[in-house]
Amino acid sequence: MERALARSRDRFPEPKRAHRRIRLMIVDDSMVARAVLSRMIESDPAFEIAAVAATAEDAIDALRAIRVDIVLLDLEMPGAGGLKSLPGIIRAAAGAKVMIVSSLAEEGAEQTVAALALGAADTLPKPGTGRFNGRFSEVLLGKLRALGFAGGVTVAVPASIGITAPLRAMPSDPIDLLAIGASTGGIHALGALFQALPRRIGVPILVTQHLPVAFMNVFARQLGAAAGREAIVAEDGMALVRDRILLAPGDAHLTVEASRDGPVVHLVEGRSASGCMPSVDPMFASAATVFGRGALGVVLTGMGRDGVDGAARLVACGGGVITQDEASCAVWGMPRAVLEAGLACAVLPPDKIARRIAGRTGDSACK
């Protein structure tokens, strides 16, 4: 069995170095897969392959000697395998982000969602599945750029990029609805938030997480178990129930509308301004229209700008928006965009977001 190969000459390269390349480790038992992925990644000068490993055990050994920013991990490998070894790899990686690159990322929803819940930042089916119409390399490199450097690594950037947008005042009214949006890294962040949230907050909860349709039922089951409350995929016309989590299906936007008997779910198909399906923007915008000051929006980790337009509508209607902080995000894209737009009332890690939510429900005793 091939041992992990560290390609870098320095065992512990200096992480705080301007303009350095993003360092990766590939963990896959297939020599062909390692070679193909290496060629794709090294075609872009922004990246370098720091190490490869044929087993998860070899990867953990190698991570004791080198530092990387991203680990590409297959789930189907000999030995303990990728999923069982994921917590150990995350610990050994010392802030590096893990992206699952596996055939199971398309075919095995249970294993993939479990990996995301354990802390994997993102997933991608292996090339050859026919899903990307020859664009696998483009999609892979785009995801790697979004994940970027490991946590704690700083790279010199122009001072003009610094964010100076002030925080808005948080409305003091008790909330009537909690709406949460997330993308890359969101399943892990949602787990952390709900584990810190009281089991009873007395308001309906809407969640839009960017995930394929095939994963939604598994995601609902796993999130419900982690959150200690009912979590189901939303259906059109469904009533909003206190403390129940309604999830946007993977093929429609989750919105709410007023009815004679109270607010109900309205699923909307079609392209959103952000290009996401499902999108956070329609969920936030409809929550603002129906609930006004009683709506609280939360934007968790994710790439892109989905949620900005909806957050603007929430704020215009008197609602509040909380964003996840950079240090705890897998990708600080969506939260940063909301913050830069001047729409955030607070910027916090998921557990502290839970406490702020509880403070708006009259129950601050987080469990």
Side-chain angles (χ1 to χ4, degrees):
M1 186 65 66
E2 179 187 15
R3 297 293 295 174
L5 169 64
R7 296 186 178 175
S8 176
R9 292 177 181 270
D10 47 343
R11 285 169 55 87
F12 290 95
E14 173 58 46
K16 297 185 178 182
R17 183 167 60 198
H19 311 302
R20 75 163 176 84
R21 291 183 290 175
I22 297 172
R23 295 165 56 87
L24 292 96
M25 169 185 278
I26 299 173
V27 188
D28 197 305
D29 65 311
S30 167
M31 184 179 297
V32 173
R34 295 196 300 271
V36 170
L37 289 171
S38 294
R39 284 198 299 271
M40 289 179 177
I41 293 167
E42 291 185 325
S43 69
D44 190 318
F47 306 102
E48 66 173 309
I49 304 299
V52 297
T55 69
E57 293 86 350
D58 289 347
I60 292 172
D61 287 342
L63 287 168
R64 297 190 180 103
I66 62 170
R67 292 290 177 261
V68 299
D69 299 297
I70 303 171
V71 177
L72 273 60
L73 177 66
D74 186 17
L75 292 180
E76 295 181 289
M77 292 188 295
L83 184 59
K84 289 183 179 179
S85 300
L86 180 57
I89 289 175
I90 291 175
R91 288 193 297 270
K97 298 159 187 176
V98 177
M99 186 166 82
I100 304 300
V101 181
S102 172
S103 60
L104 291 180
E106 186 169 54
E107 301 165 359
E110 293 278 359
Q111 296 93 330
T112 304
V113 175
L116 292 169
L118 286 171
D122 204 354
T123 67
L124 187 65
K126 278 188 173 180
T129 62
R131 185 174 178 218
F132 299 106
N133 297 320
R135 295 179 54 249
F136 177 84
S137 179
E138 178 184 341
V139 174
L140 171 65
L141 294 175
K143 285 178 173 286
L144 295 177
R145 289 190 195 95
L147 291 177
F149 295 96
V153 173
T154 59
V155 177
V157 294
S160 60
I161 294 179
I163 299 173
T164 58
L167 296 178
R168 305 183 65 86
M170 175 71 78
S172 58
D173 305 24
I175 63 173
D176 299 311
L177 178 77
L178 174 62
I180 306 172
S183 185
T184 307
I187 292 179
H188 185 62
L190 284 164
L193 189 156
F194 279 112
Q195 286 173 9
L197 195 67
R199 295 298 175 90
R200 298 289 179 267
I201 60 172
V203 302
I205 303 167
L206 307 181
V207 173
T208 292
Q209 164 72 50
H210 297 166
L211 271 181
V213 176
F215 289 9
M216 294 312 303
N217 287 327
V218 174
F219 173 45
R221 185 165 62 251
Q222 293 193 7
L223 181 61
R229 68 190 76 210
E230 184 183 21
I232 58 177
V233 179
E235 297 179 3
D236 203 60
M238 187 176 282
L240 304 190
V241 177
R242 293 181 180 181
D243 294 304
R244 183 170 70 180
I245 303 171
L246 293 180
L247 303 173
D251 56 357
H253 310 299
L254 171 58
T255 72
V256 294
E257 63 181 10
S259 76
R260 184 181 306 174
D261 299 320
V264 297
V265 168
H266 178 51
L267 298 182
V268 178
E269 299 179 354
R271 186 176 179 84
S272 68
S274 69
C276 297
M277 173 62 78
S279 171
V280 179
D281 285 322
M283 177 180 69
F284 279 177
S286 67
T289 299
V290 175
F291 290 91
R293 293 182 60 85
L296 176 62
V298 174
V299 180
L300 300 177
T301 174
M303 66 180 72
R305 295 180 53 83
D306 189 23
V308 175
D309 292 346
R313 178 65 178 162
L314 266 176
V315 168
C317 291
V321 181
I322 302 174
T323 64
Q324 187 174 350
D325 68 332
E326 181 178 11
S328 64
C329 279
V331 177
W332 197 49
M334 288 164 49
R336 174 174 179 160
V338 172
L339 177 61
E340 288 181 326
L343 301 170
C345 296
V347 182
L348 301 165
D351 60 330
K352 292 186 178 179
I353 292 176
R355 295 183 181 278
R356 190 63 64 91
I357 293 168
R360 293 283 306 280
T361 64
D363 184 354
S364 60
C366 293
K367 299 177 182 176

